[in-house]
Amino acid sequence: MKRINIRNILLRILILAVFLVTGVPAIAADKKQPASQEPLVDVHPSQAPTVKTIGVLIYPGFEMLDAYGPMEMWGNLKHIPAVVWGGEEKRVTVRVVTIAAKRGDVASNQGPKTVADFGFGDAPQLDYLLVPGGIGAIALLQDRETLNWLRERAAKTELVMSVCNGASLLAAAGVLDDRPATTNKMFWKDSTQPGPKVQWVKKARWVDDGTVVTSSGISAGMDMSLAVIGRLYGKDIAAWLERLTEYEAHRDPSWDPFAVKAGLVQ
């Protein structure tokens, strides 16, 4: 009977282990497709073939995340590599501008100020309009200048969006008349009061009515923005933004535990 050389067996096992650890990945790496070498982020993007402009209304007492959450999503479209778009010719940049009654510093509800790039009188033509909510919106419900501007701009804009009780301003301006819409659930009664002709939806993270999209409280603006971006430019584009921002979006517009917590539905 032959004697087993334990030392030789252990040596062979060690050689095999080294091959599995170092050799297989090297082989796999050689088989990667060229597309895998594309940059994950276009840090210095060139001018895109298509440029859109989104105007974000700000006013004293606006809610910061209402405005900045969506601005983060729309403003980062320019950094998406052409390969994700499906080609350089399909790339879209969305220029983000802030608008107030008068250009200059505008204090948020949380305190920090944002510079309004434009006033009502010199605001550029908009493709998209976003109206954030905030405690400051309450004072504007009777402000004819703001409501008239919203009404006029909404009629000339491809897409109007609101976050939280920003829907109250759109409702007061008549933009939501005879349309389904939603708003903040914690302050539902007060937020919906300016819109007696609106088809208010109690349980909804956001409501997409084609040219007008409204969302629930504060953080819902990010989910709404990603959903709209996905509708306009494709799910791959929205997914890329989620990855960049490390944000796990809610994709179901009917997901709304806050309506239950507020006692609006069971």
Side-chain angles (χ1 to χ4, degrees):
M1 185 174 180
K2 292 185 179 181
R3 198 162 152 193
I4 298 175
N5 191 325
I6 301 298
R7 184 177 179 180
N8 288 340
I9 293 175
L10 292 175
L11 182 60
R12 291 177 182 177
I13 293 174
L14 179 61
I15 292 172
L16 178 61
V18 170
F19 170 76
L20 290 174
V21 172
T22 62
V24 173
I27 294 173
D30 291 338
K31 293 182 179 180
K32 285 183 178 180
Q33 299 298 318
S36 65
Q37 303 303 319
E38 293 287 344
L40 295 177
V41 177
D42 193 346
V43 180
H44 302 292
S46 59
Q47 179 71 40
T50 301
V51 179
K52 298 281 190 175
T53 300
I54 181 171
V56 180
L57 175 67
I58 57 175
Y59 47 84
F62 76 93
E63 191 73 22
M64 290 189 70
L65 189 58
D66 282 20
Y68 276 91
M71 283 197 286
E72 176 77 22
M73 302 304 176
W74 290 98
N76 273 314
L77 283 170
K78 64 184 179 183
H79 291 299
I80 302 179
V83 67
V84 181
W85 286 100
E88 177 67 24
E89 71 283 358
K90 296 182 180 180
R91 285 181 55 234
V92 177
T93 290
V94 174
R95 171 191 177 213
V96 180
V97 299
T98 49
I99 305 169
K102 296 180 180 179
R103 67 166 64 195
D105 291 349
V106 179
S108 66
N109 180 46
Q110 286 69 37
K113 297 177 180 178
T114 293
V115 176
D117 300 314
F118 300 96
F120 288 162
D122 64 350
Q125 176 62 41
L126 303 177
D127 299 290
Y128 311 136
L129 171 63
L130 176 75
V131 182
I135 292 177
I138 299 172
L140 296 180
L141 292 174
Q142 304 299 325
D143 186 81
R144 302 285 39 154
E145 182 184 19
T146 298
L147 298 183
N148 288 339
W149 185 85
L150 281 173
R151 190 180 304 109
E152 177 187 352
R153 283 308 179 112
K156 300 176 182 179
T157 303
E158 295 177 25
L159 180 66
V160 179
M161 295 167 281
S162 69
V163 185
C164 196
N165 67 327
S168 299
L169 290 174
L170 292 180
V175 177
L176 300 182
D177 283 357
D178 302 317
R179 287 181 176 272
T182 196
T183 185
N184 187 295
K185 306 307 155 55
M186 186 177 293
F187 304 102
W188 180 262
K189 183 177 179 180
D190 292 335
S191 297
T192 58
Q193 190 172 9
K197 297 181 180 180
V198 181
Q199 301 169 20
W200 294 108
V201 181
K202 292 182 178 180
K203 186 176 184 294
R205 185 69 169 168
W206 70 89
V207 173
D208 189 336
D209 194 40
T211 57
V212 177
V213 187
T214 54
S215 60
S216 188
I218 308 178
S219 66
M222 294 185 291
D223 291 335
M224 174 192 69
S225 295
L226 287 168
V228 171
I229 288 170
R231 169 163 70 82
L232 295 176
Y233 303 120
K235 293 181 179 179
D236 288 345
I237 301 300
W240 187 94
L241 289 169
E242 285 188 49
R243 181 181 179 186
L244 174 71
T245 57
E246 295 191 4
Y247 179 68
E248 188 174 359
H250 295 285
R251 297 183 178 88
D252 180 3
S254 66
W255 179 87
D256 189 6
F258 304 103
V260 178
K261 293 178 180 180
L264 298 176
V265 295
Q266 294 184 348

